[in-house]
Every structure is written in structure tokens, then in C-alpha cells.
């Protein structure tokens, strides 16, 4: 049923001012797809919440509030999932390691062996 409303009657369920509104029966719902990078954590492909009204103007404000809440939750979840540096190395130690690796790398440049990959 929602497929019919969403695809075949776009004027009835989505307006340019309220893209996350969907009319289901006589009640508006907030509906948003979960971004691909968060689906494994949230375990849903979309979030749907009834707004409890059949009036579009009354539904727009709660839909905007839901969108703000969802965006804040997703931002917090992304910060939590973002990989952080746990090496504990100082900048000086990192640069020393880089210089050691550079000095030992690429012996083929000195004619000692051939590179594994050319590029």
C-alpha cells in the first residue's frame, strides 16, 4: 500500500516543504531512509513514526523536529563509530618512524632487487 502512495501519488504524500512526510490512510507519518553506513548499527533500513494528524500543516512541525532528532542521533553515532588514533605516538616519534621506513624501503632503487609491483 505505501508503494502506491509514494510512487503513484507523490502530490498526496510529499511536498517540497516537507519531504519526509507520508500520508498513510488518513494519517501523516514521518519517514526517512537510514544511511547505508549506519544500517548495520541501527539494524533498520528506514525509520517511520506516526505524527498522529491528518492535517499537513500540523504534521510539518513534528516532522521537522523528528528530522532534527534523527540527524543529531546519526551524527552522534557516526562520531562514536569514527576510527580514532590509538597509537599514542607523539608527532616526533611518528616522523622518526617514517624516516626509518623511508631509509629501509625501496632497495630496488639501488639495484639490489626488483620491485614487486611497478606503477
Amino acid at each position: 500500500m505505501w508503494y502506491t502512495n509514494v510512487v503513484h501519488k507523490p502530490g498526496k504524500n510529499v511536498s517540497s516543504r516537507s519531504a519526509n512526510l507520508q500520508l498513510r490512510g488518513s494519517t501523516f507519518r514521518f519517514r526517512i531512509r537510514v544511511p547505508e553506513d549506519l544500517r548495520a548499527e541501527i539494524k533498520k533500513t528506514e525509520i517511520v513514526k506516526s505524527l498522529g494528524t491528518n492535517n499537513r500543516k500540523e504534521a510539518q512541525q513534528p516532522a521537522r523536529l523528528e528530522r532534527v532528532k534523527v540527524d543529531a542521533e546519526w551524527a552522534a553515532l557516526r562520531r562514536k563509530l569514527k576510527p580514532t588514533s590509538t597509537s599514542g605516538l607523539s608527532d616526533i616519534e611518528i616522523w622518526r618512524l617514517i624516516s626509518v621506513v623511508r631509509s629501509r624501503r625501496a632497495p630496488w632503487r639501488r639495484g639490489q632487487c626488483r620491485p614487486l609491483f611497478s606503477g
Side-chain angles (χ1 to χ4, degrees), residues 98-110:
I98 290 171
S99 66
V100 168
V101 169
R102 282 184 179 167
S103 67
R104 293 182 182 173
R105 162 184 117 182
W108 55 270
R109 288 187 182 159
R110 295 187 297 268

Side-chain angles (χ1 to χ4, degrees), residues 11-64:
K12 190 174 182 182
N13 63 333
V14 177
S15 75
S16 61
R17 292 175 293 184
S18 53
N20 297 111
L21 282 180
Q22 178 187 30
L23 183 61
R24 171 109 180 178
S26 63
T27 305
F28 280 95
R29 303 186 316 169
F30 171 78
R31 181 173 179 242
I32 189 167
R33 292 183 60 84
V34 175
E36 188 70 36
D37 61 324
L38 299 177
R39 287 183 186 170
E41 194 70 23
I42 296 175
K43 297 179 177 59
K44 292 182 180 180
T45 58
E46 67 180 5
I47 295 174
V48 180
K49 182 177 179 185
S50 175
L51 299 174
T53 183
N54 61 359
N55 185 321
R56 180 181 298 276
K57 286 192 179 265
E58 289 176 12
Q60 288 175 345
Q61 181 65 25
R64 284 193 291 267

